[in-house]
Amino acid sequence: MAHLSLKQLSKVFPDGTHAVDQITLEVPDGELLALVGPSGCGKTTLLRLIAGLESPTAGDIELGPRSLQGVLPRDRNVAMVFQGHALYPHLTVFGNLAFPLRLRKSPKPEIDHRVRQAAAMLGIERLLHRKPRQLSGGEQQRVALGRAVVRHPACFLMDEPLSNLDARLRDETRTEIKALHQRLDATIVYVTHDQQEAMTLGDRVAVMRDGRILQVAPPREIYRHPIDAFVAGFLGAPPMNFLHGQIRADAGQLYFEHSGRRLAVPAWAAATLAARVGQDVVLGIRPESLSIAPTGTPPANRLDITVDLIEFVGAALHAYGSTNGDTIVARLDPAATVAIGQHHALEVDLDRAHFFAPPPRGSKQPGANLCPTHNPPPLARSRL
Ligand code: ADP
Ligand code: MG
């Protein structure tokens, strides 16, 4: 296994598309880096650059001690697992697993040993004599993974390998990949558009948008300290709520004012927001930071919503509603009594709120997190 290093890597396609835009990224030896971003942001192009299937317009890639510049794909010692894993239909599972080794003219006993080792690791030994059409979707995906494993590559590149599986198999195979990563101690770049998959699998998560990496951090850190409103809104389901308002000062207290209603600015944000009195700010509230307000909750800690949709998801109840024209979703206790068409007062856990700069005028860039390092105190037992 090896350390992967991308230096100022860019890919501009002949039609002018900047698919990858000056990406600098270090993936330490043995790390599973989950690369996540919306469709079209450049994830596949980035993997293809690493694999050598595209050549960069600028920048360099190093794997271990050497630069990959001018190195042919088959000499790069990386293994790519694609979405929609194409197995050879006429070969058995053994034949499929052995294929990359036969191509390399490895000695027969070594092929045999490596195939059996990979099959054992993935729990597919009993399938070795079968043809792909005699396998379930999940088994086929495991064979596709096995074909990468037998090569003992320095780095695995996985491009949405679970996207063709149904929800349940996806969960199982995801666990499988996590276990495989631990057993192999492998360097893996794992691409997905699914934020939940990225958060559960990644040692670190890299969020990509428009060919750039916005932030790279361990899952908990990136969830708690998103660098901007895009990262904040992309990670988490249901997504973070955003309210557009202004900062007001009144009798020594700062408020976030939103359509005439005020929420108290917590002490930890006061120093930063004091400089923005009278200015536009975006308040971000995660659905789990809202709960049914106990009687007597002061208005400055409350959002009053009219519920128009309820989603029961077992461990929680998602209540969608509107407040002064903005849509809000709250992740509530599954036992909460809420009803469609009713007004409900929600208490806002302002310690877990986020404040963002408004998007720069005329730009589609998201606003920066104004208090990116704030650490909220641990949750009270009653809020878990
Ligand atoms: P993702 O995998 O994140 O969905 P891709 O890497 O496939 O994104 O594509 C990134 C951008 O580059 C998209 O705008 C896509 O249309 C464009 N693109 C990809 N391949 C080519 C190509 N061969 N020629 C021109 N544009 C391309
Ligand atoms: Mg893709």
Side-chain angles (χ1 to χ4, degrees), residues 68-99:
L68 294 182
Q69 229 161 46
V71 180
L72 290 174
R74 63 180 158 80
D75 298 327
R76 289 193 173 203
N77 203 14
V78 301
M80 192 145 167
V81 183
F82 296 91
Q83 58 200 94
H85 55 83
L87 299 178
Y88 300 105
H90 58 288
L91 296 179
T92 60
V93 168
F94 188 100
N96 268 282
L97 292 177
F99 190 82

Side-chain angles (χ1 to χ4, degrees), residues 40 43-45 83 159-160 191:
K43 305 180 296 294
T44 295
T45 305
Q83 58 200 94
D159 193 358
E160 313 217 14
V191 158

Side-chain angles (χ1 to χ4, degrees), residues 171-192:
D171 287 352
E172 276 175 31
T173 317
R174 189 173 68 198
T175 314
E176 195 81 33
I177 290 178
K178 184 113 189 161
L180 184 71
H181 172 237
Q182 277 157 9
R183 262 171 272 161
L184 289 171
D185 209 11
T187 308
I188 303 179
V189 182
Y190 185 100
V191 158
T192 174

Side-chain angles (χ1 to χ4, degrees), residues 13-15 17 19 37-46 54 159-160 191:
F13 284 110
D15 67 356
T17 308
S39 179
C41 73
K43 305 180 296 294
T44 295
T45 305
L46 186 64
E54 299 283 357
D159 193 358
E160 313 217 14
V191 158

Side-chain angles (χ1 to χ4, degrees), residues 9-300:
L9 195 65
S10 292
K11 176 68 183 181
V12 185
F13 284 110
D15 67 356
T17 308
H18 282 67
V20 170
D21 196 5
Q22 298 184 51
I23 286 186
T24 292
L25 179 68
E26 301 289 329
V27 187
D29 190 357
E31 176 172 274
L32 194 163
L33 180 87
L35 184 65
V36 65
S39 179
C41 73
K43 305 180 296 294
T44 295
T45 305
L46 186 64
L47 285 197
R48 289 173 57 83
L49 286 168
I50 301 169
L53 305 172
E54 299 283 357
S55 50
T57 319
D60 193 16
I61 305 166
E62 285 172 10
L63 186 59
R66 66 168 183 165
S67 162
L68 294 182
Q69 229 161 46
V71 180
L72 290 174
R74 63 180 158 80
D75 298 327
R76 289 193 173 203
N77 203 14
V78 301
M80 192 145 167
V81 183
F82 296 91
Q83 58 200 94
H85 55 83
L87 299 178
Y88 300 105
H90 58 288
L91 296 179
T92 60
V93 168
F94 188 100
N96 268 282
L97 292 177
F99 190 82
L101 302 175
R102 285 186 176 143
L103 209 60
R104 266 195 220 170
K105 308 210 184 325
S106 302
K108 213 165 170 295
E110 188 190 332
I111 293 180
D112 208 65
H113 172 69
R114 284 204 189 186
V115 167
R116 290 187 192 282
Q117 192 186 36
M121 206 175 265
L122 289 156
I124 51 173
E125 298 118 302
R126 61 187 177 82
L127 306 176
L128 284 173
H129 63 281
R130 292 210 204 157
K131 294 278 178 66
R133 69 184 142 76
Q134 298 167 305
L135 304 175
S136 71
E139 289 165 345
Q140 290 184 22
Q141 190 58 56
R142 267 185 263 171
V143 177
L145 283 171
R147 206 162 49 177
V149 169
V150 292
R151 296 175 48 193
H152 296 185
C155 175
F156 288 89
L157 306 172
M158 303 194 182
D159 193 358
E160 313 217 14
L162 309 185
S163 57
N164 288 6
L165 303 179
D166 64 47
R168 190 184 183 128
L169 259 178
R170 200 156 57 220
D171 287 352
E172 276 175 31
T173 317
R174 189 173 68 198
T175 314
E176 195 81 33
I177 290 178
K178 184 113 189 161
L180 184 71
H181 172 237
Q182 277 157 9
R183 262 171 272 161
L184 289 171
D185 209 11
T187 308
I188 303 179
V189 182
Y190 185 100
V191 158
T192 174
H193 63 272
D194 178 342
Q195 55 89 25
Q196 199 199 342
E197 203 167 289
M199 299 276 272
T200 47
L201 269 179
D203 294 322
R204 286 188 308 156
V205 174
V207 176
M208 199 168 163
R209 183 191 194 223
D210 292 342
R212 289 174 175 256
I213 288 182
L214 301 177
Q215 188 173 8
V216 193
R220 269 208 262 199
E221 192 182 318
I222 201 165
Y223 189 78
R224 194 179 277 181
H225 304 295
I227 194 169
D228 62 25
F230 178 82
V231 174
F234 196 76
L235 302 177
M240 186 182 278
N241 299 295
F242 294 106
L243 295 176
H244 295 255
Q246 290 83 36
I247 300 299
R248 303 274 178 238
D250 189 358
Q253 168 67 43
L254 290 182
Y255 294 94
F256 170 82
E257 191 175 277
H258 162 254
S259 313
R261 309 276 328 252
R262 287 175 166 189
L263 286 167
V265 167
W268 53 265
T272 306
L273 295 180
R276 292 190 178 245
V277 172
Q279 296 179 21
D280 289 350
V281 161
V282 179
L283 173 66
I285 306 168
R286 293 214 183 266
E288 65 269 28
S289 302
L290 293 166
S291 54
I292 297 290
T295 355
T297 304

